[in-house]
Amino acid sequence: MHDIQKMRFNPTPGHTRLAWLPRAALLGAALACGMAVMPAGSQARFPTGTVKVVVPFGPGTGPDILGRTLGQKLSEKWGQPVLIGFEN
């Protein structure tokens, strides 16, 4: 018998060396999903202070109007001031 034939793995039908891999991957994915949806009880509520949004266009432009409208809505939702700033 040749060396290659001696080293060849001949599993019984339905049993392979990697048969456990799909189950392990499924278990790992399930654990990761479970941990991802767990609430983080020790984290502080965001935001805890003033939020500043920088608009990269000048006053009176479309992005400025959108930023101010969005800032007003976020301020109402979060209960914190949202400041809109400009940077050219």
Side-chain angles (χ1 to χ4, degrees):
M1 212 182 256
H2 298 292
D3 289 336
I4 294 175
Q5 289 176 336
K6 289 179 188 175
M7 293 173 29
R8 190 171 289 165
F9 177 71
N10 293 320
T12 57
H15 293 86
T16 64
R17 280 192 249 175
L18 299 177
W20 57 271
L21 188 60
R23 283 179 270 159
L26 182 62
L27 178 63
L31 287 173
C33 289
M35 292 176 69
V37 297
M38 291 176 63
S42 62
Q43 288 185 346
R45 186 176 152 95
F46 178 81
T48 57
T50 303
V51 177
K52 182 176 181 184
V53 178
V54 177
V55 178
F57 298 97
T61 61
D64 169 45
I65 296 168
L66 179 63
R68 289 181 187 274
T69 305
L70 186 64
Q72 181 183 7
K73 296 294 182 185
L74 288 175
S75 180
E76 292 169 4
K77 182 173 176 72
W78 290 340
Q80 298 290 337
V82 177
L83 303 176
I84 307 298
F86 302 100
E87 206 170 284
N88 288 333

